[in-house]
Amino acid sequence: MQNILAGKVTDNVISNSDAEDVKMIFTGLGLMEWESFTANRLPLLRLPDEILEVLRQGKIEYTKAKVIAKLKEKTERIALLEEAILQNLSLNEIRERLKTRKSSTEEKELEKQIDSTYKKMKKSKLWDNPKKRKKLELLFAQIEILINEDD
């Protein structure tokens, strides 16, 4: 039905009478339109199991569940989910916590990258190659400037 609306006609998937039946069911229920259901509610079935479970139990709203599901790390996701339920966090509070977790994760990733680059640099002994040594000195000078800059 969405393909038909988008102009991607696929009559072999659903007949017009079936489409009308679906529309009548949603109209009869009076809760929402079928377009809203397919865009907002149907994708909930793809949420991680732990989120889907508490959503089915009615412990959290679907809008909050969708935001929490954006956390890729399962342990962090479960921790935020439990925190949201226990403290009855608002959607904005959940978004703020997600933003905070994301920035700390990005900081950890940068720290790992710095450590990894340092180890590779020591191992490769860049300073033995005169061309690479000169580039390395320039990069270190830029890093020193960055470190000494006032915030």
Side-chain angles (χ1 to χ4, degrees), residues 22 42 50 68 102 110 127 133 137:
V22 169
L42 200 53
E50 65 275 2
I68 293 170
K102 185 177 179 184
L110 184 57
W127 48 85
R133 181 186 178 101
E137 288 171 351

Side-chain angles (χ1 to χ4, degrees), residues 103-139:
S103 66
S104 75
T105 302
E106 288 171 352
E107 289 171 6
K108 289 176 187 174
E109 288 300 317
L110 184 57
E111 190 176 332
K112 286 180 188 176
Q113 185 180 8
I114 290 169
D115 290 342
S116 171
T117 302
Y118 173 73
K119 288 174 186 173
K120 288 177 190 175
M121 193 172 57
K122 272 188 89 170
K123 189 175 182 181
S124 69
K125 297 185 180 180
L126 290 174
W127 48 85
D128 289 344
N129 181 324
K131 273 187 172 179
K132 289 183 178 182
R133 181 186 178 101
K134 188 69 176 167
K135 286 181 183 179
L136 189 60
E137 288 171 351
L138 290 172
L139 288 171

Side-chain angles (χ1 to χ4, degrees), residues 44-59:
L44 296 176
L45 295 174
R46 292 191 297 261
L47 291 175
D49 292 337
E50 65 275 2
I51 294 178
L52 197 52
E53 183 181 329
V54 295
L55 183 61
R56 285 179 173 150
Q57 294 170 359
K59 293 181 179 179

